[in-house]
Amino acid sequence: MTRHGTHAPDEAGARSTPGETGARNLGSDDYALSRVPRDKRLGFGTMLLQWLAQSGSISQFTLGATIGVGMSFGDAFLAFTLGAVVLEVVIFAIGLAGMREGLATPLLTRWVGFGRNGSALVSLVISISLVGWFGVQNTIFGTSVSTLVGGPSWLWCAVAGLAITVLVIFGFRYMAVFAKIVTPLFFAMVAWSVTDALSKHSLTDLIHSPAPGQAIPLSVAATAIAGGYMTGAIVAPEMTRYNRKGSHVFLQSAASMILSEYIVGLTGVLLGHLVGSSEVSRIVLSTSGVFGVLVVLMSTAKINDWNLYGSSLGVVNFFQVVFGKRLHRGAVTIVLGIAGTVLSAVGIMTHFTDFLSVLGVAVPPVGGIIVAEYWVVRRMRGPLDATRAAGTLPAASPTWVPMSLVIWVAAFCVGKFYDGGIPALNSLLTAFVLYSVTGLAGWVRAYGSTTLDDGDATETSSSVPGTATAGAP
């Protein structure tokens, strides 16, 4: 991987120019516009810790406690099971494609369903969503620390946001080191909390105790569990592109789901029954004290670094497509990190949660189209198949795939305006079914072909109906 001051083209996927030299000193580009080479993939243990680091967070504790206040343990167990199964299916289907191709979601969509220009729109939506949630999570972080140790919340927002930005600048490998530190501490704290709390109470009584608060329907709970992480599932290739085997993707993501839902989530349910509250600080402080809160907050930071990381990858792809500019991921991370930190410090980000929730319904159809094209229709992935062994990108990509954009809008409307089921899952399944049917019927067509260049892309054929895309039958 490219390190400080190194200008080798293997990671960047582009030649250095004089104007880019300074940018390349800003950390690791992490193969933002190229495949992750096979010899740069990481081992099972390192990747497992990255996955497990996503399993423990203050938000998951909050979710478990909230469900515990409104549901019996048995019903909560069923809700978490439904959510975990849905998420694992989505993560594995999309993550396996990312592992096979060594590509992150924004770049993958150029050849899987959307074409070059469509991938720019995908990148923009994903980037706004992820950097938005980075700011929201940073606000929660700052407010929680302010409550715990005092001091203005804006100061803690600034400290946390800038620290995470510095970490993400240097890329995946440094994030993996951070995961090795935080993950064992978090789960040690969970074990300590559970042991301390349950040692003074009957586990049987807690499991069979009625919900202490207003009842929550099973459908609502399953929606919260599956829908809350659906965007993360769609961008799973950001992580799985560093995996070496498909079996590793399944085992690691499944382990993450088990720990997230059955350890952290159900622990939150039990503690919610115990103290009759969904307040995370109250739950943790009542069991493991200040140390527990600090570890939970560190784990939140570990999840939040992925929000910033995924957003930076999307912005790099967006600028390369729309403006023909090859930005360095490290420089993009600085801009996004500072922007998200400042907005969270001044309290603006909390006013955008409704907007971000709307984006949360807009992102899942992308996953449905990726899965349908890559695994079912397979009309556009031919160039990826042809270049995979060499570890290079195809020489050209489709320019436009209009039907994909129509399906995306239709699936979003289903997720947004249909009241039944899980909105994020509804939109994803709608996109999958529509794309599969129209694609197999031959109605999904690419228009134009764009040649890839190191710096910017140039059109090699006019974007007119009927123009064949490389690899399309």
Side-chain angles (χ1 to χ4, degrees), residues 72-73 198 200-211 270 273-274:
S72 68
F73 184 84
L198 300 184
K200 304 179 181 66
H201 300 82
S202 169
L203 179 60
T204 301
D205 290 344
L206 284 176
I207 291 176
H208 294 288
S209 64
L270 289 176
H273 279 208
L274 179 64

PDB file of all heavy atoms in Angstrom, residues 72-73 198 200-211 270 273-274:
ATOM      1  N   SER A  72     -40.948  -8.810  25.322  1.00  0.00           N
ATOM      2  CA  SER A  72     -40.432  -9.897  26.140  1.00  0.00           C
ATOM      3  C   SER A  72     -39.133 -10.401  25.528  1.00  0.00           C
ATOM      4  O   SER A  72     -38.840 -10.138  24.356  1.00  0.00           O
ATOM      5  CB  SER A  72     -41.453 -11.037  26.210  1.00  0.00           C
ATOM      6  OG  SER A  72     -41.582 -11.653  24.930  1.00  0.00           O
ATOM      7  N   PHE A  73     -38.363 -11.147  26.308  1.00  0.00           N
ATOM      8  CA  PHE A  73     -37.081 -11.645  25.804  1.00  0.00           C
ATOM      9  C   PHE A  73     -37.295 -12.576  24.615  1.00  0.00           C
ATOM     10  O   PHE A  73     -36.550 -12.517  23.628  1.00  0.00           O
ATOM     11  CB  PHE A  73     -36.327 -12.374  26.916  1.00  0.00           C
ATOM     12  CG  PHE A  73     -34.961 -12.842  26.498  1.00  0.00           C
ATOM     13  CD1 PHE A  73     -33.870 -11.983  26.546  1.00  0.00           C
ATOM     14  CD2 PHE A  73     -34.762 -14.139  26.030  1.00  0.00           C
ATOM     15  CE1 PHE A  73     -32.598 -12.407  26.142  1.00  0.00           C
ATOM     16  CE2 PHE A  73     -33.509 -14.573  25.625  1.00  0.00           C
ATOM     17  CZ  PHE A  73     -32.423 -13.708  25.683  1.00  0.00           C
ATOM     18  N   LEU A 198     -26.136  -9.834  36.190  1.00  0.00           N
ATOM     19  CA  LEU A 198     -26.916 -11.038  36.395  1.00  0.00           C
ATOM     20  C   LEU A 198     -26.531 -11.794  37.660  1.00  0.00           C
ATOM     21  O   LEU A 198     -27.284 -12.655  38.110  1.00  0.00           O
ATOM     22  CB  LEU A 198     -26.784 -11.964  35.185  1.00  0.00           C
ATOM     23  CG  LEU A 198     -27.270 -11.373  33.850  1.00  0.00           C
ATOM     24  CD1 LEU A 198     -27.173 -12.407  32.747  1.00  0.00           C
ATOM     25  CD2 LEU A 198     -28.688 -10.841  33.963  1.00  0.00           C
ATOM     26  N   LYS A 200     -26.565 -10.702  40.546  1.00  0.00           N
ATOM     27  CA  LYS A 200     -27.451 -10.265  41.633  1.00  0.00           C
ATOM     28  C   LYS A 200     -28.917 -10.498  41.298  1.00  0.00           C
ATOM     29  O   LYS A 200     -29.804 -10.110  42.071  1.00  0.00           O
ATOM     30  CB  LYS A 200     -27.226  -8.774  41.915  1.00  0.00           C
ATOM     31  CG  LYS A 200     -25.787  -8.410  42.248  1.00  0.00           C
ATOM     32  CD  LYS A 200     -25.643  -6.917  42.487  1.00  0.00           C
ATOM     33  CE  LYS A 200     -24.214  -6.526  42.800  1.00  0.00           C
ATOM     34  NZ  LYS A 200     -23.323  -6.736  41.646  1.00  0.00           N
ATOM     35  N   HIS A 201     -29.187 -11.098  40.149  1.00  0.00           N
ATOM     36  CA  HIS A 201     -30.565 -11.312  39.734  1.00  0.00           C
ATOM     37  C   HIS A 201     -30.706 -12.686  39.092  1.00  0.00           C
ATOM     38  O   HIS A 201     -29.724 -13.267  38.608  1.00  0.00           O
ATOM     39  CB  HIS A 201     -31.014 -10.232  38.750  1.00  0.00           C
ATOM     40  CG  HIS A 201     -30.956  -8.842  39.287  1.00  0.00           C
ATOM     41  ND1 HIS A 201     -29.787  -8.107  39.320  1.00  0.00           N
ATOM     42  CD2 HIS A 201     -31.916  -8.050  39.834  1.00  0.00           C
ATOM     43  CE1 HIS A 201     -30.024  -6.922  39.846  1.00  0.00           C
ATOM     44  NE2 HIS A 201     -31.305  -6.864  40.183  1.00  0.00           N
ATOM     45  N   SER A 202     -31.900 -13.166  39.070  1.00  0.00           N
ATOM     46  CA  SER A 202     -32.170 -14.468  38.464  1.00  0.00           C
ATOM     47  C   SER A 202     -32.292 -14.311  36.956  1.00  0.00           C
ATOM     48  O   SER A 202     -33.138 -13.544  36.463  1.00  0.00           O
ATOM     49  CB  SER A 202     -33.463 -15.050  39.032  1.00  0.00           C
ATOM     50  OG  SER A 202     -33.877 -16.177  38.276  1.00  0.00           O
ATOM     51  N   LEU A 203     -31.436 -15.024  36.217  1.00  0.00           N
ATOM     52  CA  LEU A 203     -31.492 -14.973  34.763  1.00  0.00           C
ATOM     53  C   LEU A 203     -32.848 -15.465  34.257  1.00  0.00           C
ATOM     54  O   LEU A 203     -33.423 -14.900  33.331  1.00  0.00           O
ATOM     55  CB  LEU A 203     -30.360 -15.819  34.171  1.00  0.00           C
ATOM     56  CG  LEU A 203     -30.294 -15.880  32.635  1.00  0.00           C
ATOM     57  CD1 LEU A 203     -30.104 -14.497  32.039  1.00  0.00           C
ATOM     58  CD2 LEU A 203     -29.181 -16.829  32.198  1.00  0.00           C
ATOM     59  N   THR A 204     -33.354 -16.503  34.889  1.00  0.00           N
ATOM     60  CA  THR A 204     -34.658 -17.043  34.489  1.00  0.00           C
ATOM     61  C   THR A 204     -35.759 -16.009  34.655  1.00  0.00           C
ATOM     62  O   THR A 204     -36.627 -15.847  33.784  1.00  0.00           O
ATOM     63  CB  THR A 204     -34.988 -18.293  35.319  1.00  0.00           C
ATOM     64  OG1 THR A 204     -33.971 -19.280  35.121  1.00  0.00           O
ATOM     65  CG2 THR A 204     -36.341 -18.873  34.900  1.00  0.00           C
ATOM     66  N   ASP A 205     -35.724 -15.284  35.778  1.00  0.00           N
ATOM     67  CA  ASP A 205     -36.740 -14.259  36.010  1.00  0.00           C
ATOM     68  C   ASP A 205     -36.657 -13.148  34.968  1.00  0.00           C
ATOM     69  O   ASP A 205     -37.683 -12.643  34.485  1.00  0.00           O
ATOM     70  CB  ASP A 205     -36.585 -13.664  37.406  1.00  0.00           C
ATOM     71  CG  ASP A 205     -36.968 -14.656  38.511  1.00  0.00           C
ATOM     72  OD1 ASP A 205     -37.635 -15.661  38.170  1.00  0.00           O
ATOM     73  OD2 ASP A 205     -36.587 -14.421  39.674  1.00  0.00           O
ATOM     74  N   LEU A 206     -35.433 -12.739  34.623  1.00  0.00           N
ATOM     75  CA  LEU A 206     -35.277 -11.678  33.628  1.00  0.00           C
ATOM     76  C   LEU A 206     -35.783 -12.118  32.259  1.00  0.00           C
ATOM     77  O   LEU A 206     -36.436 -11.357  31.542  1.00  0.00           O
ATOM     78  CB  LEU A 206     -33.811 -11.263  33.524  1.00  0.00           C
ATOM     79  CG  LEU A 206     -33.250 -10.385  34.647  1.00  0.00           C
ATOM     80  CD1 LEU A 206     -31.762 -10.154  34.434  1.00  0.00           C
ATOM     81  CD2 LEU A 206     -33.996  -9.062  34.705  1.00  0.00           C
ATOM     82  N   ILE A 207     -35.458 -13.351  31.884  1.00  0.00           N
ATOM     83  CA  ILE A 207     -35.881 -13.856  30.580  1.00  0.00           C
ATOM     84  C   ILE A 207     -37.400 -13.936  30.484  1.00  0.00           C
ATOM     85  O   ILE A 207     -37.989 -13.633  29.443  1.00  0.00           O
ATOM     86  CB  ILE A 207     -35.234 -15.224  30.298  1.00  0.00           C
ATOM     87  CG1 ILE A 207     -33.722 -15.053  30.076  1.00  0.00           C
ATOM     88  CG2 ILE A 207     -35.876 -15.889  29.082  1.00  0.00           C
ATOM     89  CD1 ILE A 207     -32.986 -16.353  29.881  1.00  0.00           C
ATOM     90  N   HIS A 208     -38.041 -14.321  31.558  1.00  0.00           N
ATOM     91  CA  HIS A 208     -39.484 -14.522  31.532  1.00  0.00           C
ATOM     92  C   HIS A 208     -40.263 -13.313  32.046  1.00  0.00           C
ATOM     93  O   HIS A 208     -41.503 -13.356  32.086  1.00  0.00           O
ATOM     94  CB  HIS A 208     -39.857 -15.753  32.367  1.00  0.00           C
ATOM     95  CG  HIS A 208     -39.337 -17.041  31.800  1.00  0.00           C
ATOM     96  ND1 HIS A 208     -39.858 -17.620  30.666  1.00  0.00           N
ATOM     97  CD2 HIS A 208     -38.315 -17.847  32.208  1.00  0.00           C
ATOM     98  CE1 HIS A 208     -39.197 -18.744  30.400  1.00  0.00           C
ATOM     99  NE2 HIS A 208     -38.252 -18.896  31.316  1.00  0.00           N
ATOM    100  N   SER A 209     -39.565 -12.244  32.386  1.00  0.00           N
ATOM    101  CA  SER A 209     -40.260 -11.058  32.889  1.00  0.00           C
ATOM    102  C   SER A 209     -40.977 -10.337  31.757  1.00  0.00           C
ATOM    103  O   SER A 209     -40.511 -10.354  30.607  1.00  0.00           O
ATOM    104  CB  SER A 209     -39.272 -10.120  33.570  1.00  0.00           C
ATOM    105  OG  SER A 209     -38.316  -9.639  32.631  1.00  0.00           O
ATOM    106  N   PRO A 210     -42.115  -9.703  32.028  1.00  0.00           N
ATOM    107  CA  PRO A 210     -42.816  -8.954  30.986  1.00  0.00           C
ATOM    108  C   PRO A 210     -42.061  -7.683  30.625  1.00  0.00           C
ATOM    109  O   PRO A 210     -41.208  -7.210  31.382  1.00  0.00           O
ATOM    110  CB  PRO A 210     -44.172  -8.636  31.642  1.00  0.00           C
ATOM    111  CG  PRO A 210     -43.872  -8.602  33.113  1.00  0.00           C
ATOM    112  CD  PRO A 210     -42.818  -9.646  33.333  1.00  0.00           C
ATOM    113  N   ALA A 211     -42.369  -7.137  29.471  1.00  0.00           N
ATOM    114  CA  ALA A 211     -41.734  -5.886  29.056  1.00  0.00           C
ATOM    115  C   ALA A 211     -42.112  -4.780  30.024  1.00  0.00           C
ATOM    116  O   ALA A 211     -43.291  -4.621  30.367  1.00  0.00           O
ATOM    117  CB  ALA A 211     -42.183  -5.525  27.649  1.00  0.00           C
ATOM    118  N   LEU A 270     -31.758  -7.639  28.042  1.00  0.00           N
ATOM    119  CA  LEU A 270     -31.750  -8.052  29.450  1.00  0.00           C
ATOM    120  C   LEU A 270     -31.516  -6.869  30.385  1.00  0.00           C
ATOM    121  O   LEU A 270     -32.171  -6.744  31.423  1.00  0.00           O
ATOM    122  CB  LEU A 270     -30.674  -9.121  29.673  1.00  0.00           C
ATOM    123  CG  LEU A 270     -30.948 -10.506  29.080  1.00  0.00           C
ATOM    124  CD1 LEU A 270     -29.745 -11.417  29.310  1.00  0.00           C
ATOM    125  CD2 LEU A 270     -32.203 -11.119  29.697  1.00  0.00           C
ATOM    126  N   HIS A 273     -34.601  -4.809  30.624  1.00  0.00           N
ATOM    127  CA  HIS A 273     -35.536  -5.406  31.574  1.00  0.00           C
ATOM    128  C   HIS A 273     -35.093  -5.140  33.013  1.00  0.00           C
ATOM    129  O   HIS A 273     -35.918  -4.904  33.900  1.00  0.00           O
ATOM    130  CB  HIS A 273     -35.618  -6.914  31.340  1.00  0.00           C
ATOM    131  CG  HIS A 273     -36.530  -7.299  30.216  1.00  0.00           C
ATOM    132  ND1 HIS A 273     -37.187  -8.508  30.153  1.00  0.00           N
ATOM    133  CD2 HIS A 273     -36.917  -6.629  29.104  1.00  0.00           C
ATOM    134  CE1 HIS A 273     -37.923  -8.568  29.060  1.00  0.00           C
ATOM    135  NE2 HIS A 273     -37.757  -7.433  28.401  1.00  0.00           N
ATOM    136  N   LEU A 274     -33.786  -5.165  33.220  1.00  0.00           N
ATOM    137  CA  LEU A 274     -33.260  -5.033  34.576  1.00  0.00           C
ATOM    138  C   LEU A 274     -33.490  -3.643  35.152  1.00  0.00           C
ATOM    139  O   LEU A 274     -33.959  -3.500  36.289  1.00  0.00           O
ATOM    140  CB  LEU A 274     -31.764  -5.362  34.568  1.00  0.00           C
ATOM    141  CG  LEU A 274     -31.030  -5.244  35.909  1.00  0.00           C
ATOM    142  CD1 LEU A 274     -31.582  -6.257  36.907  1.00  0.00           C
ATOM    143  CD2 LEU A 274     -29.537  -5.456  35.716  1.00  0.00           C
TER     144      LEU A 274
END
